[in-house]
Amino acid sequence: MAEQALRHIPVMLNEAVEGLAVREGGRYLDGTFGRGGHARAVLSRLGPHGRLLLMDRDPQAVAAAQKAFADDPRVSIRHANFSTLAEWDETAEGLDGVLLDLGVSSPQLDEAARGFSFMADAPLDMRMDTTQGESAADFLTHADEREIADVLWTFGEERFSRKIARAIVERRGESPITRTGELAALIERVVGRREPGKHPATRSFQALRIRVNGELDALQRGLDAALERLNVGGRLSVISFHSLEDRAVKLFIRDHSGRVQGSRRGPPVAAAPALLAAVGKAQFPSEAEQAANPRARSAVLRVAEKLPQGGHA
């Protein structure tokens, strides 16, 4: 199956790891282990006194990490959302680098039973951490029409959000929507085929996934936590896959860069102390990588470095 070939291909592997500027004796955190492509590359650059901390909110990813690295004394593993990285005692000594590979992982998409994809009929779950929280089906059962429409518009930029929300509420009046196939078929009936090469349910599924997993809130808290724990000179390397994520990362780096903020219509706002400096410009996957791994096509990598207090961007 062609999809299976994509399962273990880490996106922008060399660029993301190069962005960390790994030192042999450094201490690094991969907050989104997935299946460990980036983690293995970081570990290969560490010496015997280096440390690699691994986090993932997905129990299956944590199990894969334990199977691969449980016997390596340089590695510690934690089942948790990267947004809580500052609460982990292992990070208290400071970090020389934090890597985040955002969004849904290939294994999550490829396993139909997880409910992330409309390509196969399965329970409408979408939780990255299957041990807690409500599923997408749960959300669609209790949310009112306006809340559903707001989620589809805000997190999916779905132009037909109101029509889809109305159809969902009408449909659940007959019976709950509990499967991916049901939801995908309903959305296709409402909006039709409007974008060549893109299923009409794509934006809605993305929006529900982001809402169910609280992804944008987790990202903001995770960026704050990473900045708190990074040592001076430590690097933040973040791969995003859609504009909402990338905008959040871009603004976070800008807002901590010490630049004067404000608009042309108003007085400038005093700049906060510079805490981060962008390292180069945003990077994108090469044409060769996009051809080899279509899921890399929307990726954007941003790297920043922690500055000393009162440093200069």
Side-chain angles (χ1 to χ4, degrees):
M1 181 178 177
E3 287 289 301
Q4 295 297 321
L6 304 178
R7 180 181 294 274
H8 298 296
I9 303 177
V11 172
M12 300 189 75
L13 174 63
N14 294 329
E15 297 91 336
V17 176
E18 286 291 337
L20 291 176
V22 177
R23 296 184 293 104
E24 281 193 4
R27 192 178 188 88
Y28 299 89
L29 182 141
D30 181 345
T32 49
F33 175 79
R35 289 303 180 270
H38 295 103
R40 287 181 176 85
V42 173
L43 195 60
S44 71
R45 301 182 183 207
L46 293 180
H49 301 295
R51 290 287 287 164
L52 179 60
L53 311 181
L54 303 176
M55 300 181 75
D56 206 294
R57 66 196 300 185
D58 188 330
Q60 293 184 17
V62 172
Q66 291 170 337
K67 182 178 180 180
F69 301 116
D71 295 331
D72 193 322
R74 299 173 296 172
V75 177
S76 290
I77 302 166
R78 182 179 175 87
H79 174 213
N81 192 313
F82 66 76
S83 65
T84 67
L85 71 88
E87 300 170 20
W88 189 7
D89 290 344
E90 286 272 13
T91 69
E93 296 180 29
L95 299 168
D96 297 304
V98 173
L99 187 149
L100 302 175
D101 182 8
L102 304 176
V104 66
S105 70
S106 291
Q108 289 167 338
L109 281 171
D110 291 341
E111 187 178 337
R114 300 296 298 273
F116 287 101
S117 175
F118 43 75
M119 301 303 292
D121 185 46
L124 186 59
D125 194 319
M126 294 194 186
R127 290 174 298 162
M128 292 177 178
D129 185 347
T130 52
T131 68
Q132 61 181 343
E134 66 174 5
S135 68
D138 294 334
F139 170 72
L140 292 181
T141 296
H142 71 73
D144 62 32
E145 182 177 325
R146 180 174 180 177
E147 184 178 3
I148 295 171
D150 286 347
V151 164
L152 299 185
W153 171 252
T154 303
F155 299 142
E157 299 175 314
E158 172 54 71
R159 292 186 294 119
F160 295 95
S161 58
R162 293 182 181 178
K163 290 180 66 176
I164 295 170
R166 189 175 308 120
I168 287 171
V169 171
E170 290 175 355
R171 172 70 173 77
R172 77 184 186 194
E174 302 169 11
S175 62
I177 300 173
T178 61
R179 301 191 66 82
T180 58
E182 292 177 82
L183 180 60
L186 181 150
I187 294 171
E188 187 169 8
R189 286 196 299 272
V190 171
V191 305
R193 291 272 179 178
R194 67 180 192 277
E195 296 180 62
K198 179 178 283 191
H199 192 285
T202 299
R203 296 177 184 275
S204 295
F205 270 62
Q206 171 187 293
L208 289 171
R209 189 202 83 217
I210 292 173
R211 164 59 175 76
V212 165
N213 294 289
E215 292 177 41
L216 294 181
D217 179 59
L219 174 58
Q220 192 61 55
R221 290 185 287 120
L223 292 172
D224 288 335
L227 180 58
E228 176 187 337
R229 286 298 197 231
L230 278 173
N231 297 322
V232 171
R235 295 286 187 87
L236 176 65
S237 185
V238 186
I239 304 170
S240 305
F241 288 88
H242 59 73
S243 59
L244 297 174
E245 291 174 337
D246 182 53
R247 177 176 171 79
V249 176
K250 178 181 179 180
L251 292 181
F252 182 82
I253 296 171
R254 185 203 70 181
D255 291 347
H256 290 87
S257 68
R259 297 179 189 174
V260 174
Q261 307 295 331
S263 67
R264 285 179 288 183
R265 293 191 178 91
V269 178
L275 299 175
L276 282 176
V279 177
K281 297 182 178 180
Q283 300 179 58
F284 305 90
S286 66
E287 291 184 5
E289 179 173 4
Q290 293 181 51
N293 181 9
R295 289 179 184 164
R297 289 174 182 166
S298 59
V300 183
L301 170 67
R302 294 186 187 273
V303 179
E305 182 173 307
K306 177 81 171 282
L307 298 171
Q309 289 287 351
H312 299 284

